[in-house]
């Protein structure tokens, strides 16, 4: 059964988003456990990567240029579109906050499942996460009127736990364990790390279902906006990087389409307004449809 899930992991990500929508009480109950899954996924993913190669990628100007595109450029674009479409202030704030959000920590595992460069995706993910405190601060200053008091302590703690913690764990593991033993362990465990990704769409979509139960028309509007945002990020990044090659373009596109809304909410919380969590929940369905779409697009471009 596990092998079947691994071999069909991309469509099952979407299936678990649908299951979370159908089982909202279970989804909401599972939500508090997502940070634990996040840490486990980051640790296992980084364990299979060479740390010096990852640091080398992080020193690349291209990675940091991408992080600016991923956040500041899309924030300006989404803000302009939301203003043009006359979004309510709470919804506009939520939409721009999504644009400010770094890439999902599950992205490298998804990119690896697609057969692309997971190390590059990891470098992009870390860079966009490090830019997040600046981008979310700008978002709150421009798009909300309350006094901005970011929880910097919480952010720094999560930064250490979810990025530097797994990097240190990986460094120590490679330092103190023979490479032969680590290689055997990774060969056995690596195929199953993708299963941890299923937890994110399942645990986050519950808040959207609660909105759907209260006001189905509003929920539909949120879903359409979330889908539009997801594909805007994906298509723009794909077109922007297309001249650099199909693999790079698709890696940038899927990395841009995936957004770590859980971490953004952990940093800013209620300052993001009442529209953020329902929009973040609605975002899970198109987000986890993207890997399926990307695989289809990759096969189409090979013809």
């Amino acid at each position: 059964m596990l092998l079947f899930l691994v071999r069909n992991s991309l469509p099952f990500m979407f299936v678990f988003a649908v299951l979370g929508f159908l089982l909202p009480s279970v989804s909401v109950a599972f939500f508090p456990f997502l940070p634990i899954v996040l840490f486990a996924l980051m640790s296992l993913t980084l364990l299979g990567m060479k740390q010096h190669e990852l640091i080398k990628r992080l020193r690349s100007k291209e990675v940091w240029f991408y992080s600016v595109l991923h956040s500041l450029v899309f924030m300006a674009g989404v803000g302009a579109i939301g203003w043009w479409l006359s979004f309510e202030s709470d919804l506009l704030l939520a939409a721009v906050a999504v644009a400010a959000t770094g890439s999902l920590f599950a992205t490298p595992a998804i990119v690896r499942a697609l057969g692309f460069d997971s190390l590059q995706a990891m470098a992009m993910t870390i860079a966009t996460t490090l830019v997040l405190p600046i981008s979310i601060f700008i978002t709150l200053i421009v798009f909300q009127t309350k006094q901005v008091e970011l929880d910097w302590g919480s952010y720094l703690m999560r930064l250490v736990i979810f990025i530097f913690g797994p990097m240190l764990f990986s460094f120590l593991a490679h330092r103190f364990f023979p490479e032969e033993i680590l290689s055997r362990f990774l060969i056995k465990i690596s195929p199953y790390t993708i299963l941890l990704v299923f937890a994110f769409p399942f645990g986050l979509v519950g808040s959207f279902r609660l909105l759907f139960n209260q006001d189905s028309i509003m929920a539909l509007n949120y879903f359409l906006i979330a889908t539009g945002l997801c594909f805007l990020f994906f298509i723009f990044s794909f077109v922007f990087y297309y001249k650099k090659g199909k693999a790079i373009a698709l890696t940038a596109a899927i990395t841009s389409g995936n957004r770590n809304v859980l971490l953004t909410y952990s940093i800013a919380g209620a300052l993001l307004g009442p529209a953020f969590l329902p929009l973040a929940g609605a975002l899970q369905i198109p987000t986890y449809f993207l890997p399926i779409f990307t695989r289809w697009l990759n096969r189409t471009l090979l013809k």
Side-chain angles (χ1 to χ4, degrees):
M1 181 63 180
L2 288 179
L3 285 176
F4 177 76
L5 289 174
V6 170
R7 290 170 184 166
N8 299 276
S9 57
L10 297 182
F12 269 103
M13 292 177 196
F14 179 73
V15 169
F16 270 77
V18 175
L19 283 176
F21 181 82
L22 296 176
L23 302 170
S25 59
V26 182
S27 174
V28 171
F30 190 71
F31 179 81
F33 297 99
L34 289 182
I36 300 173
V37 180
L38 188 61
F39 180 83
L41 180 64
M42 282 291 289
S43 297
L44 291 173
T45 303
L46 282 167
L47 189 61
M49 295 181 175
K50 297 179 180 179
Q51 295 303 298
H52 67 279
E53 289 291 336
L54 179 58
I55 293 173
K56 184 178 178 180
R57 297 287 183 100
L58 282 170
R59 290 174 179 169
S60 168
K61 293 181 180 178
E62 287 77 11
V63 167
W64 293 101
F65 177 83
Y66 168 81
S67 70
V68 173
L69 171 69
H70 182 100
S71 55
L72 299 178
V73 172
F74 282 128
M75 285 162 56
V78 170
I81 293 172
W83 175 80
W84 179 58
L85 294 176
S86 301
F87 281 5
E88 293 183 358
S89 58
D90 287 338
L91 180 57
L92 181 59
L93 171 61
V96 177
V98 168
T101 296
S103 186
L104 190 68
F105 286 143
T107 299
I110 295 173
V111 168
R112 183 173 57 196
L114 289 167
F116 300 136
D117 189 352
S118 60
L119 188 62
Q120 183 70 9
M122 178 62 77
M124 288 174 161
T125 297
I126 292 176
T128 57
T129 301
L130 293 174
V131 169
L132 177 59
I134 299 172
S135 60
I136 201 66
F137 184 78
I138 294 172
T139 299
L140 293 172
I141 287 291
V142 175
F143 292 96
Q144 69 115 277
T145 57
K146 298 179 182 178
Q147 184 180 359
V148 177
E149 294 180 359
L150 285 178
D151 189 352
W152 294 105
S154 175
Y155 176 74
L156 292 174
M157 181 182 69
R158 289 175 181 275
L159 199 65
V160 170
I161 292 174
F162 295 119
I163 295 183
F164 298 116
M167 289 179 71
L168 178 62
F169 170 76
S170 176
F171 173 78
L172 293 175
H174 282 280
R175 172 97 179 191
F176 292 106
F177 289 93
E179 288 297 324
E180 183 180 351
I181 294 176
L182 279 178
S183 296
R184 286 203 300 264
F185 172 75
L186 289 170
I187 289 172
K188 291 181 179 180
I189 199 69
S190 290
Y192 301 102
T193 57
I194 192 68
L195 299 179
L196 295 175
V197 180
F198 297 168
F200 297 101
F202 182 81
L204 283 167
V205 77
S207 58
F208 172 65
R209 174 58 191 271
L210 295 179
L211 174 64
F212 182 84
N213 290 343
Q214 295 172 1
D215 189 335
S216 59
I217 299 300
M218 181 181 291
L220 178 60
N221 289 334
Y222 273 51
F223 175 73
L224 293 175
I225 291 168
T227 302
L229 288 173
C230 197
F231 278 90
L232 171 67
F233 302 149
F234 182 94
I235 294 171
F236 186 90
S237 297
F238 177 79
V239 172
F240 189 86
Y241 281 95
Y242 188 74
K243 290 184 179 180
K244 293 183 178 293
K246 181 196 68 174
I248 295 176
L250 288 174
T251 299
I254 194 70
T255 304
S256 187
N258 293 339
R259 299 278 162 160
N260 192 359
V261 289
L262 177 64
L263 182 58
T264 299
Y265 184 77
S266 298
I267 298 171
L271 289 173
L272 295 170
F276 183 79
L277 270 184
L279 183 64
L283 196 68
Q284 300 311 300
I285 297 175
T287 292
Y288 289 96
F289 174 75
L290 277 184
I292 304 172
F293 175 74
T294 304
R295 184 170 62 180
W296 170 83
L297 184 59
N298 182 39
R299 291 173 176 174
T300 301
L301 293 173
L302 286 175
K303 295 180 181 178

